[in-house]
Amino acid sequence: MAEKAESRAVELDIRGKKRMYDIDDPKLPDWIEEKAFGSGDYPCDKKLDSKEYEKTLKLLQIELVKVQFWQQKTGTRIMSVFEGRDAAGKGGAIHATMAYMNPRSARTVALTKPTETERGQWYFQRYVSTFPTAGEFVLFDRSWYNRAGVEPVMGFCKPEEYEKFLKETPRFEKMITSEGIHLFKFWLNIGREMQLKRFHDRRHDPLKIWKLSPMDIAALNKWDDYTQKRDRMLKETHTDHAPWTVIRANDKRRARINLIRHILKTLDYEGKDTQAIGEIDDKIVGAGPGFVK
């Protein structure tokens, strides 16, 4: 007789209230469903209309194609770092940005855990080898900032390595921007109930279940630890030369549109259509520490 699978139900402390969460239960708890969209003090009541989203996104993607032509003509190098909690929407934002860009000069970097050789190198070394050459647009699906979040929370680095990283990173990024590379750093922020809802969606969608990792399950009770590390990371590494742009991402549609708008508004490329780009929603986009809770 087959053994019964071990339950993965956990008790969570949600703002001082104990809640049970079983990711294997196909029914999403009402307390998550009711609070998810507005969690984390999200400022909107409902998702952006899908037709408006598609229409706006197309205009922005046309501008991104112009950016690539400009890059090829001028040799401009662009890097964009996408960070955020698990299920914050990093992959979807990257896909929306790259959807119609020429893959010969636009690529995504999503490194796995370091090899034995890489663990013996300078921490930043394996990232530097993926940096853009002339005319390239490189998007990082997670980055060197693993050492500011998941590594110290999950015990994958020593405390002294974590402290060293926070001190060295502003200098490291100064080297990048001094080289003339455009560096964007995005933190996609979501509320706790929204994260739980997205985890649940992944668990019960056969097309998305691969996105749910054992690390996600192990981190369920570490929300506050991640929050503390996020806040310190934003404080220590938000600089004039490499600022953090924070995107409230409970609504993926608004997040993607405003993220791309930020990129386009920052770059001075040939043929720029400011009317097509539109205006950034300052309720969704902010700079550095203090914009999120």
Side-chain angles (χ1 to χ4, degrees), residues 57-71 96-102 137 260 263-264 267 269:
L57 182 61
K58 181 178 179 179
L59 293 173
L60 298 176
Q61 289 169 334
I62 290 171
E63 293 301 302
L64 286 169
V65 172
K66 293 180 186 178
V67 167
Q68 274 200 294
F69 280 120
W70 169 69
Q71 285 186 267
T97 304
M98 286 193 64
Y100 294 98
M101 298 179 82
N102 186 339
F137 195 125
I260 296 172
I263 293 173
L264 295 172
L267 300 172
Y269 58 94

Side-chain angles (χ1 to χ4, degrees), residues 61-292:
Q61 289 169 334
I62 290 171
E63 293 301 302
L64 286 169
V65 172
K66 293 180 186 178
V67 167
Q68 274 200 294
F69 280 120
W70 169 69
Q71 285 186 267
Q72 292 301 302
K73 183 176 180 179
T74 62
T76 302
R77 293 166 291 173
I78 301 173
M79 290 168 49
S80 185
V81 168
F82 290 73
E83 291 287 348
R85 297 182 192 269
D86 293 321
K90 298 179 291 297
I94 289 171
H95 177 74
T97 304
M98 286 193 64
Y100 294 98
M101 298 179 82
N102 186 339
R104 291 192 177 123
S105 55
R107 56 186 169 88
T108 301
V109 175
L111 300 183
T112 57
K113 66 179 183 180
T115 64
E116 188 66 32
T117 298
E118 289 170 335
R119 283 196 290 270
Q121 296 173 342
W122 177 47
Y123 176 73
F124 297 103
Q125 188 166 335
R126 73 188 190 123
Y127 295 102
V128 172
S129 66
T130 68
F131 280 13
T133 189
E136 271 197 317
F137 195 125
V138 178
L139 300 91
F140 286 84
D141 188 346
R142 293 201 181 277
S143 66
W144 47 94
Y145 280 100
N146 281 332
R147 182 142 291 181
V150 64
E151 288 191 19
V153 169
M154 302 305 293
F156 296 154
C157 71
K158 299 175 183 177
E160 55 268 29
E161 291 175 323
Y162 168 65
E163 295 294 338
K164 182 181 181 183
F165 172 84
L166 292 174
K167 290 180 180 178
E168 288 187 343
T169 297
R171 295 197 295 269
F172 170 65
E173 292 173 350
K174 182 64 175 178
M175 294 172 65
I176 296 171
T177 57
S178 294
E179 177 62 18
I181 298 173
H182 290 272
L183 174 60
F184 295 95
K185 300 192 306 187
F186 294 108
W187 175 266
L188 276 63
N189 201 73
I190 55 173
R192 191 170 193 188
E193 285 89 350
M194 179 55 77
Q195 185 189 54
L196 294 172
K197 182 180 186 301
R198 291 182 183 175
F199 280 168
H200 185 271
D201 292 345
R202 290 178 177 185
R203 168 64 182 86
H204 299 282
D205 185 339
L207 295 176
K208 296 180 180 179
I209 194 168
W210 63 271
K211 292 185 175 183
L212 187 69
S213 71
M215 193 68 64
D216 296 333
I217 305 302
L220 283 174
N221 271 312
K222 296 184 181 295
W223 177 270
D224 291 339
D225 293 339
Y226 273 106
T227 298
Q228 188 273 330
K229 293 298 187 294
R230 176 204 66 189
D231 292 348
R232 188 168 178 207
M233 177 195 76
L234 293 175
K235 179 181 177 182
E236 301 284 348
T237 63
H238 178 68
T239 60
D240 290 339
H241 58 270
W244 277 103
T245 300
V246 179
I247 311 284
R248 287 192 170 115
N250 280 6
D251 180 2
K252 295 178 181 180
R253 295 168 185 170
R254 285 187 174 88
R256 294 166 187 171
I257 283 174
N258 283 281
L259 186 152
I260 296 172
R261 277 177 174 155
H262 176 80
I263 293 173
L264 295 172
K265 280 184 166 290
T266 303
L267 300 172
D268 187 20
Y269 58 94
E270 188 175 330
K272 185 172 183 176
D273 185 341
T274 56
Q275 186 172 351
I277 296 170
E279 295 302 319
I280 292 172
D281 186 343
D282 59 11
K283 298 190 303 296
I284 302 300
V285 181
F291 187 66
V292 292

Side-chain angles (χ1 to χ4, degrees), residues 39-50:
S39 60
D41 293 327
Y42 194 69
C44 303
D45 296 327
K46 59 182 180 179
K47 290 182 180 179
L48 181 66
D49 176 75
S50 60

